[in-house]
Amino acid sequence: MNAPAPHTGSVVAVRGTVVDVRFDGRPPPLHAAVTLTTTGTPVVAVVQAHLSPDVARTIAVTPTRGLRLGASATARDVPMDVPVGEALLGRVVDLFGTPLDGKGPIAATTRRPLHSPPPPPTERRPWSDVYVTGIKVVDLFCPFLHGGRAAVFGGAGVGKTVLLTEFIHGAIRGLEGVSVFAGIGERSREGLELWEEVGRRGVLDRTALVFGEMKEPPGARFLVGLAALCIAEHLRDELGRTVLLVIDNLYRHVQAGMEVSGLLGRMPSRVGYQPTLAADVAAVEERITSTRRGDMMSVQAVYVPADDYGDPAVTHALWHMDSTLMLSRDIAAEGLYPAVDPLRSSSKALDATVVGHRHAEVVEHAREVLGRYEELRDILSMLGVDELSEQDRRTVARALRLRAFLTQPFFVTEPFTGQPGKHVPLDATLDGVQAILEGRCDDVPEARLHQIGALTDLDATLEAPRG
């Protein structure tokens, strides 16, 4: 069967990255890619709306420099697609699958449309067991799930990207699978650092990195997350691989969608966000799932503007997550890294039927001690610890030791801190936390618990439990 003839036409209006094209006949379908001829590099745009039986409104996803009225346009009768396959592992590409690493062309013959429906319920597999990251505070208070979606929420400069990079380092070896990284609105420096780190750790050959840099038009930044998702879906469904999808940063995906919405003249919704905010987030999140053909789990960074967790973009992202890891600026200011707030972080796995009765009881006790410490902080700052009852003094001391113990040196920060990274098994985490809560570390200086791995890293012999 012969392929349908391409759609042809010409540009009738250019307003920044919004380009209207009149076609010779009916226009191509929504989400189709349109190639516009210029005096230099051709411009690629994506159909966003049909204005009349022969005019389509498009958003350019490449710079429009040199584009002018009357420029010729061609389009296929299918939605925009991207190359997928194992050939992308070990490579750094952009939205179109074009290499950014200078290693030559990629031999990927299979393509997948950017916009696809999520797997039907009959194809999905629910999350099963807990995935241990080796990061104490995460495994204790916010356990991740195989086949689940986890997100790291935090403002600027509190350590989201460092956490994500550490997850990549540990997850590829732990899962024995592959990783796909979506850099949405990344700075060039951040992309280079991540590429070098993944290569230094020896896991680049099992990682595909897809970048839509900050300098790209909003249309490209809005679609790069979908491109990475297509690559991950192919590895999961067609090759049966276990896939870790890392997204940095989901908020920039929302922000790019807001820019595209404004360019198209849509009426803004709450706080200036696009009226399609919920649908834009769901279009990504609902496709992230394990199926009968393969496993996929996702860890995502979500920027919290002005540290406002009530922001619509943040709340819409929260609805889709199985595990939510909240980073705190106050905890980071105290030098406690990772700066996770254990009282605000949560996970659907924190149930005795999933993590076991011991884990659930340790978490409940730890939160009780940390919660009481938070209640006493104002009294401590004004009157000092001597004004507390003996029981409260003991609670404060154990809370401070617990906070110090939950810090941890990362593998990805070794070049900067000089401390070797630590991977802590879940049982060792529970043993250490339980020992602190039961008072077996009351005579251990708080500073000695800071930035260690398991409690067995201490040279001192711990005392027996006190009555």
Side-chain angles (χ1 to χ4, degrees):
M1 183 176 180
N2 295 328
H7 297 263
T8 59
S10 60
V11 174
V12 294
V14 180
R15 293 181 297 277
T17 58
V18 180
V19 182
D20 292 345
V21 180
R22 186 181 302 280
F23 287 92
D24 305 325
R26 63 181 180 84
L30 295 179
H31 308 307
V34 181
T35 302
L36 309 172
T37 303
T38 66
T39 54
T41 304
V43 175
V44 178
V46 177
V47 177
Q48 295 288 334
H50 292 158
L51 303 184
S52 71
D54 60 349
V55 176
R57 176 156 292 171
T58 70
I59 291 287
V61 293
T62 58
T64 55
R65 188 179 301 109
L67 184 63
R68 61 185 63 180
L69 292 179
S72 62
T74 58
R76 293 186 298 152
D77 205 21
V78 295
M80 183 177 178
D81 53 21
V82 293
V84 295
E86 285 191 315
L88 286 113
L89 296 176
R91 303 302 301 271
V92 184
V93 299
D94 63 9
L95 165 65
F96 308 101
T98 304
L100 301 176
D101 51 14
K103 295 183 178 180
I106 297 174
T109 56
T110 306
R111 303 186 71 89
R112 194 177 181 110
L114 281 178
H115 297 272
S116 301
T122 53
E123 283 292 314
R124 296 174 182 244
R125 281 195 298 110
W127 45 260
S128 51
D129 54 348
V130 171
Y131 167 67
V132 178
T133 66
I135 302 173
K136 292 177 290 188
V137 68
V138 176
D139 294 337
L140 181 66
F141 291 106
C142 185
F144 290 179
L145 292 155
H146 281 283
R149 293 182 288 262
V152 181
F153 292 84
V158 294
K160 296 186 298 300
T161 300
V162 173
L163 259 178
L164 291 190
T165 310
E166 185 75 4
F167 290 142
I168 294 175
H169 170 265
I172 297 178
R173 295 183 178 181
L175 289 172
E176 296 185 352
V178 295
S179 176
V180 179
F181 181 89
I184 305 175
E186 286 282 290
R187 301 173 183 88
S188 300
R189 169 186 56 80
E190 293 174 337
L192 177 62
E193 289 174 353
L194 177 67
W195 179 56
E196 291 176 342
E197 179 61 32
V198 172
R200 186 161 50 243
R201 293 295 166 186
V203 293
L204 181 60
D205 61 335
R206 286 191 285 162
T207 306
L209 297 101
V210 188
F211 286 108
E213 295 177 281
M214 193 172 283
K215 64 180 177 61
E216 302 292 338
R221 286 183 274 117
F222 184 64
L223 295 177
V224 69
L226 298 178
L229 184 54
C230 286
I231 296 170
E233 286 174 324
H234 179 81
L235 292 169
R236 176 196 67 192
D237 295 338
E238 306 304 325
L239 304 179
R241 305 293 291 271
T242 296
V243 184
L244 171 68
L245 175 63
V246 181
I247 299 177
D248 187 11
N249 185 300
L250 184 65
Y251 180 79
R252 294 198 189 113
H253 172 78
V254 171
Q255 196 174 40
M258 179 169 55
E259 295 178 50
V260 170
S261 181
L263 289 169
L264 294 173
R266 296 172 182 157
M267 185 70 69
S269 184
R270 290 178 54 203
V271 200
Y273 286 108
Q274 61 269 42
T276 57
L277 173 61
D280 290 346
V281 174
V284 174
E285 300 298 339
E286 290 303 308
R287 291 167 62 181
I288 302 173
T289 182
S290 291
T291 69
R292 300 185 184 280
R293 290 175 283 180
D295 286 331
M296 182 190 295
M297 63 179 292
S298 175
V299 182
Q300 308 170 35
V302 183
Y303 169 69
V304 180
D307 293 335
D308 177 16
Y309 284 88
D311 186 270
V314 176
T315 57
H316 279 81
L318 273 168
W319 293 345
H320 294 276
M321 300 303 163
D322 301 305
S323 303
T324 56
L325 198 63
M326 303 295 193
L327 302 187
S328 166
R329 191 172 303 281
D330 293 336
I331 294 175
E334 296 180 54
L336 301 174
Y337 288 98
V340 176
D341 187 339
L343 298 178
R344 300 179 68 185
S345 301
S346 63
S347 172
K348 293 179 180 178
L350 272 182
D351 185 287
T353 59
V354 179
V355 297
H357 291 283
R358 183 196 179 199
H359 190 157
E361 290 172 359
V362 169
V363 169
E364 183 178 358
H365 191 184
R367 281 183 169 163
E368 180 183 337
V369 170
L370 293 172
R372 181 58 179 162
Y373 169 71
E374 291 297 322
E375 293 173 0
L376 296 170
R377 292 192 71 163
D378 288 342
I379 298 176
L380 286 169
S381 62
M382 291 186 293
L383 303 177
V385 70
D386 293 335
E387 296 301 317
L388 301 179
S389 67
E390 182 180 349
Q391 181 178 352
D392 282 343
R393 285 201 298 271
R394 185 163 55 246
T395 298
V396 168
R398 292 176 183 175
L400 291 173
R401 282 166 174 76
L402 179 58
R403 280 157 51 96
F405 176 67
L406 292 176
T407 63
Q408 185 170 340
F410 283 172
F411 291 95
V412 298
T413 59
E414 286 178 4
F416 313 106
T417 64
Q419 289 183 282
K422 299 285 186 178
H423 181 281
V424 184
L426 177 59
D427 286 341
T429 296
L430 295 176
D431 290 342
V433 172
Q434 198 165 18
I436 292 171
L437 296 175
E438 291 176 354
R440 284 180 273 157
C441 296
D442 285 358
D443 293 334
V444 178
E446 178 189 333
R448 294 200 60 198
L449 295 169
H450 189 264
Q451 290 293 319
I452 66 170
L455 208 56
T456 53
D457 291 349
L458 292 174
D459 296 327
T461 302
L462 301 180
E463 297 181 4
R466 300 183 178 187

